[in-house]
Amino acid sequence: MKNIGSNVNKNIKTTKEKEYKKYINFGKLQLKEPTFISNEDTFIDEMKKQLETKFINGNGYILDKIYDPKTEHLIDREEKLSFKKITSSNDHFFGTFSRFSTTKDVLTDIVDNQSNKKIDPDTIYFEHNTLFYIDYNLKSISFIKTEHIKNVYPFLEAFINNNNILNISIIPLVKNDNEIAESVITELEIALATVEISQNQSFVGLNGLEKMGCKVKNYNLKVTLDSVESKFSQKLLNFRSKNKENIKKMSISTFNEDIDLLTNRFTKSVPIKLSNNYETDFSTIENTLKVELLKAIQWQFISVIWCHHGFHKS
């Protein structure tokens, strides 16, 4: 397997593996509308060809242009993006990208200039760079969510679209309400635009706070739940439906997922063992993204069947 660590010093000392919790997002690749070079039957093959062309002269690619729909021309990006190919085949593409300004040389040991102590590579590479996996056969993509790049979708779309030539969208996978209703919720976060909710009921007694001499503009509540009744998830969905106009944010966490209840998009948390042996780490992450993507797509298929036939989990 050829990867971006193939030309660096092999004398990097490995450390004991450490388990990290990583958050993975999933999406389907979808053609917005046919173009002069691709249609529903050919767009994956065309995307595959375009990706291989990008890296024909090496494993690095700089995305420095962006398509401007107003002028219908390519213009310079305000911030360049740095992409690297780690592995690829006729079935997949596994790579990483970062903002050009935060690209790190992660294939050498990193030392803090002041303390002269080695920095945990997880806090450098795996938070400043987004690793992603494209499965051509599933027409799907998975990637590790990072704190430094909040919204990954437009960057990946710009990359695979080759500056709007292919016209491909990444559609985030979502949960249906039946799945959410049967979730065991461990955390709840909600932000409301006003103190009042439907039927003039105050939420968590904030009216009492206003009576003390202040005016609440909006507020955010985050709670960890000790236990929940069997119908709690469904009641939460009912609350969302009745108060949509007043809800600015609403999300829940389960044992291994975070779900945005305004969009039903979800992020899955997965434990991954990493060291500073980057060849091993890349292989581990590639396999994790591949396996979890397959699980997510299969589960979407099963949930559609269940909803169609009115089945529920026992």
Side-chain angles (χ1 to χ4, degrees):
M1 178 181 72
K2 186 176 181 181
N3 60 44
I4 64 176
S6 60
N7 60 343
V8 298
N9 190 338
K10 301 296 184 179
N11 294 323
I12 300 175
K13 294 181 179 179
T14 59
T15 58
K16 184 178 180 181
E17 283 188 332
K18 183 178 178 182
E19 188 170 271
Y20 297 92
K21 181 182 287 187
K22 292 299 176 184
Y23 295 89
I24 302 177
N25 285 99
F26 310 95
K28 287 288 290 182
L29 302 176
Q30 181 175 299
L31 188 67
K32 296 179 185 178
E33 58 183 8
T35 68
F36 66 96
I37 63 171
S38 64
N39 55 45
E40 190 64 40
D41 296 325
T42 64
F43 80 93
I44 291 295
D45 287 334
E46 192 61 38
M47 182 185 72
K48 190 188 310 183
K49 187 192 308 179
Q50 296 283 344
L51 290 182
E52 290 304 319
T53 301
K54 283 181 172 68
F55 298 96
I56 196 168
N57 294 320
N59 289 323
Y61 175 79
I62 302 299
L63 185 61
D64 57 1
K65 301 289 183 182
I66 187 172
Y67 178 77
D68 181 12
K70 293 181 179 179
T71 63
E72 296 185 346
H73 287 88
L74 296 178
I75 60 176
D76 291 335
R77 295 185 67 95
E78 291 184 6
E79 186 175 38
K80 298 178 182 178
L81 301 175
S82 175
F83 288 83
K84 284 182 168 53
K85 179 178 75 172
I86 303 176
T87 68
S88 67
S89 71
N90 196 47
D91 298 317
H92 86 288
F93 182 98
F94 174 52
T96 180
F97 84 91
S98 66
R99 292 186 173 96
F100 196 76
S101 57
T102 58
T103 302
K104 306 293 180 181
D105 180 11
V106 301
L107 301 176
T108 58
D109 288 340
I110 302 172
V111 176
D112 184 88
N113 290 331
Q114 294 183 346
S115 66
N116 206 35
K117 292 182 178 179
K118 185 175 172 182
I119 299 174
D120 184 347
D122 179 66
T123 64
I124 298 295
Y125 186 78
F126 297 111
E127 282 303 321
H128 286 85
N129 294 262
T130 297
L131 288 108
F132 61 95
Y133 183 92
I134 300 173
D135 189 308
Y136 295 135
N137 297 317
L138 294 177
K139 298 183 181 180
S140 301
I141 185 170
S142 58
F143 60 86
I144 293 181
K145 181 180 177 182
T146 71
E147 289 300 317
H148 291 270
I149 305 178
K150 297 292 186 181
N151 188 5
V152 172
Y153 292 100
F155 297 138
L156 287 175
E157 283 187 352
F159 173 64
I160 65 177
N161 270 316
N162 201 22
N163 283 316
N164 214 43
I165 292 177
L166 298 180
N167 209 20
I168 298 172
S169 291
I170 300 176
I171 310 299
L173 297 191
V174 298
K175 297 279 186 180
N176 61 55
D177 282 357
N178 288 336
E179 292 178 90
I180 296 173
E182 299 188 16
S183 299
V184 178
I185 301 174
T186 58
E187 290 186 0
L188 165 66
E189 184 171 3
I190 183 170
L192 300 183
T194 63
V195 174
E196 296 292 336
I197 59 176
S198 63
Q199 300 176 341
N200 295 320
Q201 298 291 317
S202 62
F203 198 72
V204 296
L206 287 187
N207 277 339
L209 180 63
E210 289 191 331
K211 290 178 180 178
M212 296 172 63
C214 69
K215 182 65 177 177
V216 177
K217 182 178 180 181
N218 52 63
Y219 64 94
N220 191 343
L221 173 70
K222 184 174 183 179
V223 293
T224 300
L225 305 175
D226 184 40
S227 62
V228 295
E229 296 180 357
S230 59
K231 299 296 183 181
F232 177 72
S233 299
Q234 183 59 58
K235 290 179 180 179
L236 205 58
L237 291 174
N238 295 340
F239 174 85
R240 179 196 64 182
S241 300
K242 294 178 181 178
N243 298 279
K244 269 190 174 180
E245 293 183 359
N246 193 31
I247 299 174
K248 298 175 65 178
K249 177 181 180 181
M250 190 174 187
S251 62
I252 59 173
S253 295
T254 66
F255 174 71
N256 65 348
E257 290 179 333
D258 294 332
I259 306 171
D260 181 340
L261 292 188
L262 297 186
T263 63
N264 284 18
R265 295 183 184 182
F266 69 97
T267 300
K268 185 175 182 179
S269 64
V270 178
I272 303 179
K273 290 184 178 181
L274 302 175
S275 63
N276 74 330
N277 182 331
Y278 290 97
E279 291 191 5
T280 302
D281 286 347
F282 285 143
S283 179
T284 299
I285 292 174
E286 176 181 358
N287 186 63
T288 300
L289 288 174
K290 175 183 178 180
V291 170
E292 294 299 333
L293 178 58
L294 178 59
K295 288 180 183 177
I297 296 298
Q298 288 177 333
W299 182 250
Q300 289 275 305
F301 178 73
I302 293 172
S303 65
V304 168
I305 295 177
W306 281 3
C307 286
H308 180 72
H309 292 283
F311 296 152
H312 295 276
K313 290 186 298 182
S314 58

